[in-house]
């Protein structure tokens, strides 16, 4: 571990790819988010829709994991999961959540906070129907976050479900669907030289987005 610490202590990267000015910001944070997401995609960022989702349990214990953004519009940001999973239980009991996108190759980060709620059943059905067959069967096979005795048990269950669904429509299981994070805070971070990073925050106050610059 000491050798690892020595290596970690020597890690250092300068940030010099871009800057962030108030003069070229969108007035609505979702529009600014869209611009940055489009740039991340065009820049070849690997899985630009991958985001860290942080939730808090009913007892106040935080946890985080990577999920994929599947839709973003004026209503909020949508992702899908098993409702019975750890994150699903957190969101159903205490619906505050935070999201973080980090794109190191373009030296940008976006933090988003808000309240998450389940999306309409029809919307979940439509997305589920668009998924590859194997992913649909996987949603039925996985008792997400529950203890699994072995990999073989999961694979056997998947194989049995493949036979069961062969030639049939795979409908969305009731325990699987989408959540929408309705944001009340955005923060856009652009790496800069000497750790003097640009941080611009949008905070929703009485229905209006207030824009401020933060110390790095």
């Amino acid at each position: 571990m000491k050798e690892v610490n020595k290596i970690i202590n020597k890690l250092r990267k300068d940030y010099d790819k871009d800057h962030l000015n108030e003069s070229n910001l969108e007035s609505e944070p979702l529009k600014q988010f869209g611009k940055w997401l489009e740039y991340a995609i065009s820049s070849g960022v690997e899985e630009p829709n991958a985001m860290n989702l942080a939730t808090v349990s009913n007892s106040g214990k935080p946890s985080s994991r990577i999920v994929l953004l599947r839709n973003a519009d004026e209503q909020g940001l949508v992702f899908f999961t098993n409702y019975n999973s750890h994150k699903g239980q957190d969101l159903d009991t205490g619906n505050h959540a935070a999201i973080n996108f980090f794109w190191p190759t373009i030296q940008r980060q976006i933090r988003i906070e808000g309240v998450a709620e389940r999306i309409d059943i029809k919307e979940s059905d439509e997305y589920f129907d668009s998924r590859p067959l194997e992913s649909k069967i996987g949603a039925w096979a996985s008792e997400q976050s529950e203890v699994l005795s072995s990999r073989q048990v999961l694979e056997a269950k998947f194989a049995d479900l493949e036979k069961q669904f062969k030639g049939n429509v795979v409908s969305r299981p009731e325990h699987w669907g989408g959540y929408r994070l309705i944001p009340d805070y955005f923060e856009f971070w652009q790496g800069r030289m000497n750790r003097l990073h640009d941080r611009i925050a949008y905070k929703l106050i009485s229905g209006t987005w207030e824009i401020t610059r933060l110390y790095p």
Side-chain angles (χ1 to χ4, degrees):
M1 192 65 189
K2 290 182 179 180
E3 291 302 315
V4 173
N5 286 335
K6 287 181 180 179
I7 296 171
I8 291 173
N9 289 334
K10 293 179 181 178
L11 293 176
R12 179 160 291 275
K13 181 178 179 62
D14 287 325
Y15 297 95
D16 57 0
K17 288 186 178 295
D18 210 339
H19 58 275
L20 181 59
N21 292 328
E22 289 86 343
S23 60
N24 57 15
L25 287 173
E26 295 287 342
S27 60
E28 298 290 328
L30 274 167
K31 290 182 180 180
Q32 184 66 32
F33 171 77
K35 284 176 62 175
W36 272 29
L37 181 59
E38 288 177 4
Y39 181 74
I41 294 169
S42 66
S43 299
V45 171
E46 188 172 352
E47 292 208 275
N49 61 328
M51 58 190 192
N52 183 63
L53 170 69
T55 60
V56 180
S57 71
N58 200 33
S59 62
K61 184 178 180 181
S63 61
S64 67
R65 74 290 288 162
I66 302 299
V67 299
L68 298 178
L69 175 71
R70 286 307 182 191
N71 188 31
D73 55 29
E74 60 279 357
Q75 297 181 64
L77 296 92
V78 175
F79 58 93
F80 293 85
T81 189
N82 186 314
Y83 290 140
N84 298 325
S85 66
H86 187 163
K87 57 184 170 296
Q89 293 180 47
D90 283 356
L91 293 172
D92 286 341
T93 57
N95 56 1
H96 288 278
I99 285 172
N100 185 25
F101 292 87
F102 180 49
W103 302 318
T105 56
I106 57 174
Q107 300 174 357
R108 287 180 174 179
Q109 178 178 207
I110 305 174
R111 293 177 52 215
I112 308 171
E113 299 173 3
V115 171
E117 61 181 27
R118 293 191 187 191
I119 65 174
D120 183 76
I121 290 175
K122 182 180 178 182
E123 193 176 349
S124 286
D125 286 339
E126 289 174 351
Y127 176 71
F128 188 83
D129 290 343
S130 73
R131 304 182 86 208
L133 175 62
E134 293 78 8
S135 295
K136 294 178 182 178
I137 296 173
W140 280 96
S142 177
E143 300 175 29
Q144 198 174 105
S145 301
E146 295 297 320
V147 175
L148 177 64
S149 59
S150 70
R151 175 77 188 186
Q152 289 71 26
V153 170
L154 177 62
E155 292 178 349
K157 187 175 180 180
F158 184 90
D160 288 342
L161 286 166
E162 274 189 312
K163 294 176 183 177
Q164 178 182 325
F165 284 120
K166 189 174 183 179
N168 298 314
V169 174
V170 182
S171 60
R172 178 183 63 86
E174 291 186 3
H175 63 258
W176 190 97
Y179 287 93
R180 174 177 285 105
L181 183 79
I182 303 168
D184 55 29
Y185 181 84
F186 281 78
E187 183 186 312
F188 295 87
W189 179 96
Q190 175 68 61
R192 297 292 300 273
M193 291 290 290
N194 304 317
R195 297 300 187 263
L196 300 179
H197 311 305
D198 289 325
R199 293 176 62 191
I200 302 293
Y202 291 73
K203 189 173 183 180
L204 189 61
I205 300 175
S206 300
T208 301
W209 288 103
E210 180 180 291
I211 303 175
T212 55
R213 177 175 285 271
L214 306 177
Y215 275 99

